[in-house]
């Protein structure tokens, strides 16, 4: 398990003059004798915990130390109270709580006060505010319930661990004392008149304890199955372990002799059980549950083995485990265990907050260093107060010490926390109506306004606001334990049309934009979202439940069945965290199982690619760098993983499913990092999810992407600024437009284009790009650059006899005609202005390939190739071609293809001309058309080949390519080849590239 554990109480001391240290730990209600083996047993427990926290190999189960301490505490406290009850006939609660207060609370107060002050220096402001709340909860002995609320809250995930997380077990013990001592006191009063008071008290309390043990253990099993954090941190599910210790003190073990070999076996078996748990358990062990029985009963066996029987004074024996535990070294560590535990965890966490994550040797060294403040606290705080006659003389004085030890850290935390919150700014929700408009396209998040500087002003939302900046969807993002989503209809709930938002919390972050898009069209939005539940049919574990996420499987099946029974939606938008598994094949199969019934619904499906996952508490980081949020940038490689589903959609393997992505604006460029803040918008509310503000700002961009994909109709009256390019008078919808605006010498937009580099695709399935070219393609701006006047230049260069050039492809590969519609691809191009011998080997081209080629880069020409424009050797001619079928011969007469042949264009080298191709799949057309300056000059119809070849060639996603090759088979076939006379440096210039689509047919131009 990942929850830190805390030790139980050290051996207890009576305030009576002349008593020996630890006399309260007597083995029976009749006899008080110090148990040095128990003091040594505490050493075993605390060292297990410390090794676990330090990450020492082989100690992954060291968290079982808490079970050891709970059993010890139950045994010692019950024995103490029972002896008092039998001896005096009553239990003095004032004395009991006074002793607990002066022994435990002052040391804890020193640690809490130190953490409250050190946190102000060592932690980030937002984390500091959280920490001060932790101090208050720990001082009030309620830390476990604070951490239960955080650990069970999926939406609170992603925050750093608290330096006071280990106080949960102290809170459990103190809550147990508050419950157990009064209960025993009442029981004693009821049994006080019995003739054999001791036997009556023991019998009654033993019966009561047995019932509590059974009830608490049953609850622990239930909670372990329902909520791991509640079972682990909750007091009711831990009472049974105190109860096991109590039964050791209550039952008449002291009347039994027992054969010595059996005692030896019992003690060593118990010790071995504890050791086995330390080395065998780990974070995957369902805990506490049944697994907690082993260390609990093992501890009981060690304690029981050394309880003296009838006529015995010492039961440890020369060879018993108790003899080993009673050694000087284990006892010394046991005496220090409480203070050592108090200090070691804050030292570890605060050091890592300052230094970054440490390996286990560093953690072990810090844990060892914690011995110094632990010794100091024991020497100058705990022991003086424990031995003070003035404090121990009257119970109220001990209680006063305890109250002071609670008040001091609380006041200190409130002062530091309130000051920090004041510095962090308002915690009120962001006023969404006042947000700046988001850009619908381009590399900027916000719309640029003349004279405005996007970096002016405070970050929005502020770090405190970001933590709570969730989608306003109420309870519709259902928690891990829930198996069915509510109806969750928003917007125009009576409309027959609706958008369905489906997935996990990474789908839920798009609630606000989807609601806006639905409402603008008079539609409803239905949200079907479950926290931490992958939409692909994967079997995963839930950190909140601490076991297999069965509720996810139930919810997913129920949701898909509900969609099948409901009226068909207008649009289904899906999204999911992209890192539930690293097994690409398994993930693809899991998506297929979910998408098959979804596609059967017949509604358009759009997959929003997963957004970057920072993996760090972004609001906390920004709170420490409000004026320089660039310091909170995170790794691009770690935050953006390959997306198999997006790749399959782009390849055309999933008809009816389109993908869109806002990642080019969330993580622009191709540098090593992604920003946490763009245009003063704080993007993330934790370590993985967008703020609602960021999602709202992205609404316009999402609308453009959805309308360009053909999945969402354009709003009546919407213009290009509000919804991307809407259909014109003839119904065309723009899917891509790049005017190549930008500074001179800069590369083309990384949001739209990727570079091919080298001499072949990855794996080199076809050397020299399969055509015998001699150049090496690069991503250098010497070869591919903007000219600063609205055009792209692709320039072949030569250095030391070696040719280099440029080749870029559209990042998108899902350009396809809508069902029964048309796809139009167009570019305005000026060919390289070179001719004659100087142009020998020049081969400028604008063309497309089928998307599936990117999955392994094999399958040409069957995947289809459309050459929109080609020209070779500086001729005053251009041509277009279709490649399909098989590499040799076939319906496309490969390798030549179905070509138009040279088309005259005398001024194509000196000016821009429009080159276009249309794939027309409308009924009655079924053809591809080539255009030069609006004039059709070539056609290829479906009847030129069989239906399967035609479909594989044109009816799927495409990506676009712009390049200038040097040499190769085609220039050679034209009668020229690159040579010494070939002159480098003449660019192909591209003014713009446009991709559009429309439904239905259109007349040929």
């Amino acid at each position: 398990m990942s929850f830190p554990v805390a030790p139980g109480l050290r051996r207890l001391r009576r305030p009576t003059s002349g008593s020996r240290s630890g006399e309260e730990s007597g083995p029976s209600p009749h006899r008080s004798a110090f148990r040095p083996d128990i003091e040594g047993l505490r050493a075993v427990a605390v060292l297990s915990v410390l090794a676990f926290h330090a990450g020492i190999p082989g100690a992954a189960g060291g968290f079982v130390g808490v079970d050891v301490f709970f059993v010890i505490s139950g045994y010692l406290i019950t024995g103490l109270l029972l002896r008092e009850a039998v001896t005096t006939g009553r239990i003095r609660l004032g004395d009991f709580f006074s002793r607990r207060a002066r022994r435990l609370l002052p040391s804890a107060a020193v640690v809490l006060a130190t953490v409250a002050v050190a946190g102000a220096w060592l932690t980030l402001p937002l984390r500091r505010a959280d920490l001060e709340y932790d101090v208050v909860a720990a001082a009030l002995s309620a830390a476990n319930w604070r951490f239960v609320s955080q650990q069970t809250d999926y939406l609170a995930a992603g925050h750093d661990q608290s330096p006071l997380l280990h106080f949960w077990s102290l809170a459990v013990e103190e809550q147990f004392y508050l419950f157990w001592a009064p209960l025993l006191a009442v029981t004693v009063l009821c049994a006080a008149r019995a003739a054999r008071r001791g036997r009556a008290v023991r019998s009654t309390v033993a019966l009561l304890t047995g019932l509590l043990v059974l009830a608490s253990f049953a609850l622990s099993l239930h909670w372990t199955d329902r909520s791991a954090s509640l079972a682990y941190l909750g007091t009711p599910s831990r009472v049974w372990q105190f109860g096991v210790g109590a039964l050791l003190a209550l039952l008449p073990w002291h009347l039994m002799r027992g054969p010595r070999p059996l005692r030896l076996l019992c003690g060593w078996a118990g010790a071995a059980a504890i050791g086995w748990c330390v080395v065998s358990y780990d974070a995957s062990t369902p805990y506490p549950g049944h697994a907690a029985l082993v260390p609990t009963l093992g501890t009981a066996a060690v304690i029981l083995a050394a309880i003296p029987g009838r006529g015995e004074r010492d039961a440890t024996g020369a060879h018993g485990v108790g003899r080993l535990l009673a050694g000087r070294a284990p006892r010394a560590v046991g005496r220090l265990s409480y203070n050592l535990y108090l200090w070691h965890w804050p030292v570890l966490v605060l050091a890592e907050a300052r230094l970054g994550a440490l390996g286990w040797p560093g953690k072990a060294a810090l844990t060892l260093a914690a011995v110094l403040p632990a010794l100091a606290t024991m020497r100058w705080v705990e022991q003086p107060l424990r031995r003070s006659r003035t404090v121990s003389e009257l119970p109220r004085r001990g209680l006063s010490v305890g109250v002071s030890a609670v008040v001091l850290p609380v006041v200190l935390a409130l002062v530091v926390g309130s000051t920090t919150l004041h510095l962090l700014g308002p915690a009120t929700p962001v006023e969404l109506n006042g947000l700046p408009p988001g850009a619908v396209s381009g590399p900027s998040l916000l719309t640029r306004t003349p004279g405005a500087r996007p970096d002016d002003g405070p970050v929005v939302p502020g770090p405190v606001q970001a933590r709570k900046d969730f989608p306003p969807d109420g309870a519709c993002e259902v928690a891990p334990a829930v198996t069915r989503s509510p109806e969750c209809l928003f917007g125009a709930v009576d409309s027959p049309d609706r958008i369905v938002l489906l997935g996990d919390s990474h789908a839920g972050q798009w609630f606000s934009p989807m609601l806006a898009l639905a409402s603008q069209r008079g539609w409803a939005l239905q949200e079907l979202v479950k926290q931490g539940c992958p939409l692909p049919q994967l079997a995963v574990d839930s950190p909140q439940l601490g076991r297999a996420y069965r509720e996810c499987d139930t919810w997913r099946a129920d949701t898909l069945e509900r969609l099948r029974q409901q009226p068909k939606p207008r649009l289904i938008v899906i999204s999911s965290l992209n890192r539930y598994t690293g097994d690409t094949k398994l993930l693809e199969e899991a998506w297929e199982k979910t998408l098959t019934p979804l596609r059967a619904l017949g509604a358009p499906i759009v997959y929003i690619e997963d957004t970057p996952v920072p993996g760090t508490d972004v609001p906390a980081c920004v709170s420490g760098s409000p004026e320089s949020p660039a310091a909170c940038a995170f790794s691009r490689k770690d935050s953006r993983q390959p997306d198999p589903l997006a790749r399959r959609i782009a390849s055309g393997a999933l008809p009816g499913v389109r993908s869109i992505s806002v990642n080019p604006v969330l993580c622009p460029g191709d540098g090593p990092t992604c920003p946490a803040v763009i245009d003063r918008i704080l993007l993330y509310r934790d370590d993985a999810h967008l703020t609602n503000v960021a999602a709202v700002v992205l609404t316009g961009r999402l609308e453009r992407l959805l309308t360009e994909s053909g999945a969402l109709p354009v709003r009546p009256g919407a213009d290009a600024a509000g919804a991307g390019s809407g259909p014109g008078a003839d119904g065309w919808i723009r899917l891509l437009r790049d005017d190549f605006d930008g500074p001179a010498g800069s590369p083309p937009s990384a949001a739209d284009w990727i570079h091919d580099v080298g001499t072949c695709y990855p794996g080199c399935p076809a050397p020299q790009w399969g055509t015998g070219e001699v150049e090496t393609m690069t991503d250098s701006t010497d070869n591919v650059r903007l000219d600063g006047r609205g055009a792209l230049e692709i320039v072949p260069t030569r250095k030391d006899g070696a040719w280099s050039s440029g080749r870029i492809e559209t990042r998108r590969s899902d350009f396809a005609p809508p069902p029964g519609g048309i796809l139009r691809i167009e570019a305005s191009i000026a060919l390289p202005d070179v001719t004659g011998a100087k142009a020998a080997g020049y081969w400028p081209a604008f063309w497309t390939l089928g998307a599936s080629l990117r999955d392994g880069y094999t399958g040409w020409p069957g995947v289809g190739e459309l050459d929109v424009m080609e020209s070779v050797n500086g001729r005053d001619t251009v041509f277009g071609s279709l490649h399909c079928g098989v590499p040799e011969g076939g319906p496309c007469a490969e390798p030549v293809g179905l070509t138009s042949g040279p088309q005259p264009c005398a001024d194509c080298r000196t000016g821009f001309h429009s080159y276009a191709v249309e794939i027309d799949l409308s009924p009655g057309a079924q053809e591809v058309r080539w255009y030069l300056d609006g004039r059709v000059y070539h056609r290829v119809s479906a009847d030129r080949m069989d239906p399967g070849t035609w479909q594989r060639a044109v009816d799927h996603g495409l990506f676009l390519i712009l390049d200038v090759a040097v040499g190769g088979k085609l220039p050679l076939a034209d009668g020229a080849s690159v040579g010494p006379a070939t002159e480098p440096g003449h660019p192909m210039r591209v003014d713009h590239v446009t991709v559009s689509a429309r439904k239905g047919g259109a007349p040929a131009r």
Side-chain angles (χ1 to χ4, degrees), residues 142-157:
N144 63 320
W145 297 114
R146 170 166 169 78
F147 297 130
V148 163
S149 67
Q150 292 178 339
Q151 297 281 354
T152 57
D153 183 3
Y154 179 87
L155 299 179

Side-chain angles (χ1 to χ4, degrees), residues 153 189 254 412 432 504 508 537 583 624 636 776 811 855 874 883:
D153 183 3
L189 286 176
H254 58 284
L412 191 58
L432 297 179
D504 62 7
Q537 293 190 28
D583 188 332
R636 175 189 295 269
T776 297
R811 187 170 293 276
D855 188 9
H883 294 275

Side-chain angles (χ1 to χ4, degrees), residues 574-588:
I574 63 175
S575 192
S576 183
L577 180 69
N578 186 31
R579 49 187 68 201
Y580 286 105
T581 178
D583 188 332
T584 300
K585 187 171 188 284
L586 177 64
L587 183 59
E588 289 181 350

